[in-house]
Structures are given as structure tokens and as C-alpha cells.
Amino acid sequence: MILTVTLNTALDITYRVPSLRPHASHRVTEVTERPGGKGLNVARVLAALGHPVTVTGFAGGGTGRALQEALTGIPGISDALVPVAGATRRTVAVVDTATGDTTQLNEPGPVISPAEWSTFLEAYEDLLRSSSAVALCGSLPPGVPVGAYGHLVRAARAAAVPVLLDTSGEPLRRGIAARPDFVKPNADELAELTGSHEPLQATRDARRRGARAVVASLGSEGLLAVAPEGHWQATPPARVMGNPTGAGDSAVAGLLSGVVEHLPWPDRLARAAALSAATVRAPVAGEFDRAAYEELLPRVAVTERATAA
């Protein structure tokens, strides 16, 4: 079983409008709702790939109940979310169908009490006992210690469970120092962490901060990986147009599924890059287009990069 942790879960709401204009009223042509937050996106893709997944984190209030009810309809996903007094946040994505651009509005999330955090830690350590890998994903809700991911990484390492960290800012800085097996920043997060805007140098610098391997999302340029086994870049065959929301989460699912299937690095990266591109093509944010994935996977170019520092 793969475990995904989403401390700041969300109910994702997507509105589609013919054209998004500031300071104007809009007629919404389509509305979709689904469980959200980075780790839940990862779990949905893993389940679609045939991997049993357990999701944990926090859920509360009417929004949390709606999120958990929606989870029951997704085959392959088990709900181990911890109840809290506060209400789970909502995120709103407004898709301009004329341009394909998306405007995102993210609420901050519920305030987590010290007692709720302690309850979660006990549940997390228990879940690790039956996990083949764990993904720690997304932002921290108010009240959770900024060093939370460092604690969760160390617990996974103590349980000998491979752990992937996908977050940003100070939580990433502190989490990477706990030596996760993998981190997956995007280009902006990587530059913020290292101060370097040259992808290969920044990826190497991030690895020196503690991660065993770093996989950087570079948008249309694909994925760049620096690991003890070597350095590779995986590039989709062409620029993919659509909604990029959730593309990085699909890449995380591809990497984790490759880890538990013991795939070599080039195959992991090809899968991750194809899933990411197929997510951009999907009509709903955070889903992936299976036909596009199957068409793209054999066409992803994976090249080995020089390993000199």
C-alpha cells in the first residue's frame, strides 16, 4: 500500500466560463467538484494506475464531509483522514475556455490544534507500518509546525519506508534537511530553495541540502533528475496545451509507482513525464487523459546528463 499525506486537503471546485474578464459578471457553463490537495491528486492517479492507496491528513466541517463522501466513490483509495474541528478549505479554479488559461483561488485551510496534530502523528506512524512508500505533499494548514515535514520524513526513514517530499518554501527547506529519499520541486520552488535559476546546478544544489534524489519539474521541458545512480532529463515529444493544474502531482504518482515497481530511473521518469503531460490535456484539473498518456509514454525522450559537479 502507498500512503499519501495531504495536511491541507481541499474540496476542488472548477468553474468553466467562455471568457474570463476582470470586474465583470460571468455565466458559468460547467461546474465540477472533487477531493483535492496535492496528495489526494497523487492518490487518484496511483489508484488509476492500479496501486492501492491510503490517504491521510485532516478533514473537518461540511466541506470535509463532502470531500470524504466523494472519496468513497474512487476505487483503490482508502480514507484515513483525521477529523478536526475546523472546516476543510475550498479551492476554486476558473477556466477560461477561450484561452485555456486557469485562475486559481486557494483558501488557507483550518487551524489545527496541538491535540489534533498529536492525533495525526500517532495515526501516521501506525500507517507507516503497512506502507511500501509515502508521499508528503502540499502546504501546511495554520497551526501545524513549520518543521512538520522534517518530523514526518524522519519517521518514514525510521520505519524504512521510501519517502517523497513535494512542498515549497520554508517547509521544503526544513523537510529536505531531514534527508528524504526524493524531493520534487518545480523550477520556481527550486530557485527559491537554492538561489540558482540554472536547472541542473539548482537540482544538484538541492540534493546537497539533504535529499537522496531530486526530480525537478521544468514545465514544457519535462523533468530533470539528479540521483546517486546518475542524472537524466525526460522530455515530452511536443509542448502540450491545456490546464497544468495537478500536472506535478501526476509526476509524483509516476515516480512513486516506479519506485514500488522497482523500475529503473529512465522508466520512472518517462512515466512521470507522460502522466504530467496527459494531466495538462485532461478536461478537469488534476485528472489525467489515459489515451494521451498511453500515446505519449513511448515518445518521451529520456537522455542522460553529464554527472560532473
Side-chain angles (χ1 to χ4, degrees):
M1 177 268 290
I2 298 175
L3 177 65
T4 72
V5 175
T6 313
L7 296 177
N8 211 4
T9 57
L11 185 66
D12 286 348
I13 303 166
T14 301
Y15 295 140
R16 302 183 74 86
V17 299
S19 177
L20 182 62
R21 304 180 309 279
H23 316 299
S25 297
H26 295 78
R27 186 174 297 278
V28 176
T29 58
E30 182 182 348
V31 182
T32 58
E33 288 187 358
R34 61 176 182 87
K38 292 177 72 62
L40 293 185
N41 293 341
V42 172
R44 188 165 34 246
V45 175
L46 284 168
L49 294 173
H51 290 277
V53 190
T54 295
V55 298
T56 191
F58 299 110
T63 308
R65 287 192 294 274
L67 182 152
Q68 290 184 283
E69 289 171 7
L71 281 176
T72 62
I74 306 177
I77 294 182
S78 298
D79 176 2
L81 294 168
V82 174
V84 294
T88 296
R89 67 187 177 130
R90 296 160 298 180
T91 69
V92 178
V94 183
V95 180
D96 183 326
T97 56
T99 64
D101 292 337
T102 301
T103 299
Q104 193 83 16
L105 304 173
N106 297 328
E107 295 179 357
V111 176
I112 305 302
S113 72
E116 289 166 341
W117 176 239
S118 294
T119 299
F120 168 78
L121 290 177
E122 292 177 8
Y124 172 73
E125 292 183 5
D126 184 59
L127 288 165
L128 285 174
R129 296 189 181 98
S130 56
S131 299
S132 55
V134 57
L136 309 174
C137 302
S139 62
L140 302 180
V144 171
V146 71
Y149 282 133
H151 186 109
L152 301 184
V153 167
R154 286 188 290 272
R157 288 177 56 81
V161 177
V163 54
L164 185 151
L165 176 62
D166 184 14
T167 187
S168 61
E170 191 63 20
L172 173 59
R173 192 178 307 278
R174 299 208 187 185
I176 200 172
R179 306 184 67 80
D181 295 278
F182 312 93
V183 295
K184 199 226 56 73
N186 61 33
D188 290 340
E189 293 161 352
L190 196 59
E192 182 184 6
L193 176 68
T194 66
S196 174
H197 292 271
E198 198 291 306
L200 184 56
Q201 183 60 52
T203 306
R204 288 170 174 158
D205 288 349
R207 183 166 177 258
R208 292 188 189 103
R209 292 172 181 264
R212 185 176 185 275
V214 178
V215 181
S217 293
L218 304 179
S220 62
E221 296 180 20
L223 300 170
L224 178 63
V226 174
E229 298 86 350
H231 301 179
W232 297 271
Q233 185 157 357
T235 309
R239 183 179 180 87
V240 178
M241 302 303 294
N243 182 359
T245 304
D249 305 328
S250 292
V252 169
L255 293 170
L256 270 190
S257 64
V259 168
V260 299
E261 293 174 31
H262 306 290
L263 297 181
W265 268 105
D267 291 346
R268 293 181 204 174
L269 291 172
R271 177 182 291 180
L275 282 169
S276 182
T279 299
V280 175
R281 283 194 188 177
V284 177
E287 305 287 348
F288 77 96
D289 183 319
R290 183 172 290 275
Y293 166 64
E294 293 174 354
E295 184 267 330
L296 287 164
L297 180 58
R299 300 172 58 210
V300 173
V302 182
T303 56
E304 191 161 9
R305 301 287 298 265
T307 58

